[in-house]
Amino acid sequence: MRLNYPSNVKIIKVPCTGKVDVIHLLQAFERGADGVYIAGCLEGDCHFLRGNLRARKRVEYTKRLLDEIGIGGERLQMYNMSAAQGPRFAEVAREMTERIMTLGPNPIRAKKGEAEMETG
Amino acid sequence: MIVAERKPLEQISSMIESNNKILIVGCGECVTVCSAGRKKEVEILASALNMVRSKEGKPVEIRQETLERQCDGEYLEQLRGFIGEYEVVISMACGAGVQFMAEKYKNSLVLPALNTKFIGVTEEQGVWSERCHACGDCKLHLTGGVCPIARCSKSLLNGPCGGSANGKCEISPDLVCGWQLIIERLSDLGQLEKYEEIIPINNWSTNRDGGPRKVVREDLRL
Ligand code: SF4
Ligand code: SF4
């Protein structure tokens, strides 16, 4: 199956979404990501039983933290899909890209850009 | 253990509003077990503060350290070599750790990142609850091992009060009545006769009412 999805999506592979910790998500935003989403296996299908459920809880916690920081929790999202759902993967990539386009760039990067413009 | 919780980020960031060089110090004991001030939490706070400040266009320099514990001088000594380079230190220890660091480093401004809540236990992963008020005169042998001071909302020594209903405390339907627990436990232990005994009026001077407390063991002093 050859499917197109937006080229701005950078994929980071992890053995299980249960490996993703709050600090990993924060550091992505700290380094300028405009949005992050986690694609976990379908609920109930985790090879490690609860990896994707724990990831969801960490995403919820990090969303609140991003709100506190002022970056906005809506830039982070948890999705569940199986390895056989290629079209769903492409759909989610488009959905998230559209959401981020509406929200605009990560405010940190926007600020850094400004500073560079001033000094440059 | 001593159970604590991180302060709202806004409160922490407003404390360091005018500072640009910050040291964040975690603690490896109680607040690591209750996940409030462990190494991971130091990383998260550092990352969050970094973002808050970058967003405002006022970037900060943050160094992260986590000590074995902050309530013992020998571990606090490990900061000696570089603490002076920082305008402000954020301690992620309990209130005792924060104060002890400030005592040891008179020229450093030491700020708390946590709200220290209580002495308690891990009920289940992610849930902690209160068990002891450090009253200074433990009564657990009289009450079936359930603390009347910490687990009864009114710290009654001869409960329950008239508000106990269906095993719950009158202050909240989610809270088990401490005296219900005491009676159940005494009955399980076959010691209900202890419930018949009136516990005399408490001497609160062993508690905080007697002023700040201290324990001295002459045999251990150097
Ligand atoms: S009786 Fe006092 S020392 Fe004993 S558990 Fe209760 S508060 Fe703590
Ligand atoms: S209802 Fe029970 S726990 Fe609550 S104040 Fe009364 S005796 Fe104490």
Side-chain angles (χ1 to χ4, degrees):
Chain A
M1 206 183 315
R2 282 190 158 273
L3 292 163
N4 286 325
Y5 65 90
S7 59
N8 51 281
V9 178
K10 183 173 179 231
I11 296 179
I12 297 174
K13 291 182 189 162
V14 288
C16 168
T17 50
K19 173 71 191 138
V20 182
D21 216 331
V22 177
I23 189 68
H24 303 135
L25 300 170
L26 287 182
Q27 280 171 350
F29 287 102
E30 202 179 338
R31 290 173 195 168
D34 296 320
V36 175
Y37 68 93
I38 298 188
C41 294
L42 294 172
E43 291 194 357
D45 277 356
C46 177
H47 293 275
F48 303 100
L49 303 177
R50 290 183 310 161
N52 50 359
L53 301 177
R54 305 196 68 188
R56 175 172 296 277
K57 288 189 173 181
R58 291 181 193 142
V59 165
E60 292 308 321
Y61 180 85
T62 313
K63 273 170 162 292
R64 287 197 297 277
L65 206 48
L66 288 170
D67 280 335
E68 274 194 276
I69 294 167
I71 294 215
E74 64 278 16
R75 290 180 182 276
L76 175 64
Q77 194 62 44
M78 175 86 199
Y79 289 99
N80 295 91
M81 64 194 77
S82 86
Q85 288 178 309
R88 174 71 185 137
F89 179 87
E91 182 189 318
V92 160
R94 279 193 297 274
E95 189 180 305
M96 203 57 195
T97 304
E98 270 164 36
R99 182 193 296 190
I100 300 306
M101 290 295 203
T102 326
L103 290 169
N106 177 339
I108 293 178
R109 218 158 42 93
K111 200 73 204 177
K112 273 191 191 148
E114 250 175 54
E116 273 157 27
M117 293 272 277
E118 275 164 27
T119 52
Chain B
M1 90 193 90
I2 292 173
V3 179
E5 204 175 32
R6 179 173 53 76
K7 283 178 173 292
L9 190 61
E10 199 184 342
Q11 196 184 0
I12 303 175
S13 59
S14 74
M15 290 180 201
I16 54 152
E17 225 165 33
S18 55
N19 305 106
N20 301 315
K21 241 185 137 189
I22 296 159
L23 173 63
I24 304 183
V25 189
C27 176
E29 298 276 355
C30 306
V31 293
T32 284
V33 183
C34 69
S35 304
R38 57 187 172 158
K39 187 165 175 273
K40 218 179 216 185
E41 252 50 45
V42 172
E43 285 174 2
I44 291 172
L45 181 61
S47 171
L49 288 176
N50 244 328
M51 284 194 261
V52 167
R53 292 293 291 267
S54 308
K55 200 168 61 63
E56 292 167 355
K58 298 187 290 180
V60 268
E61 183 189 327
I62 300 178
R63 173 165 176 167
Q64 308 174 24
E65 292 292 333
T66 299
L67 301 178
E68 190 69 30
R69 56 179 173 270
Q70 295 188 24
C71 50
D72 263 319
E74 62 196 277
Y75 298 110
L76 287 172
E77 258 330 287
Q78 293 167 356
L79 304 174
R80 185 74 58 193
F82 53 88
I83 192 170
E85 296 165 25
Y86 295 85
E87 293 167 25
V88 57
V89 187
I90 300 180
S91 164
M92 295 197 87
C94 72
V98 180
Q99 291 181 64
F100 212 34
M101 194 190 305
E103 277 172 45
K104 297 288 178 200
Y105 295 105
K106 299 240 182 304
N107 297 324
S108 294
L109 178 59
V110 185
L111 306 171
L114 305 184
N115 288 326
T116 303
K117 311 286 267 198
F118 50 76
I119 301 176
V121 298
T122 310
E123 264 187 26
E124 56 179 272
Q125 191 169 314
V127 180
W128 297 273
S129 61
E130 185 161 26
R131 288 293 183 277
C132 172
H133 278 193
C135 76
D137 181 14
C138 195
K139 297 145 185 62
L140 290 174
H141 57 299
L142 303 173
T143 53
V146 179
C147 173
I149 312 279
R151 306 200 66 190
C152 164
S153 304
K154 296 171 187 162
S155 296
L156 296 178
L157 289 188
N158 298 283
C161 71
S164 180
N166 305 319
K168 297 292 186 323
C169 172
E170 65 177 341
I171 72 155
S172 157
D174 300 326
L175 189 70
V176 180
C177 164
W179 272 94
Q180 173 83 22
L181 292 173
I182 293 173
I183 292 166
E184 280 171 8
R185 182 86 176 120
L186 285 175
S187 134
D188 288 350
L189 292 170
Q191 293 189 340
L192 260 185
E193 74 281 358
K194 284 201 177 157
Y195 181 56
E196 302 282 318
E197 288 166 32
I198 301 294
I199 303 180
I201 292 174
N202 198 36
N203 172 10
W204 290 104
S205 72
T206 60
N207 199 300
R208 265 287 308 162
D209 295 26
R213 296 167 283 178
K214 193 171 193 163
V215 173
V216 182
R217 278 274 307 266
E218 282 304 339
D219 59 317
L220 294 177
R221 300 186 78 177
L222 298 176

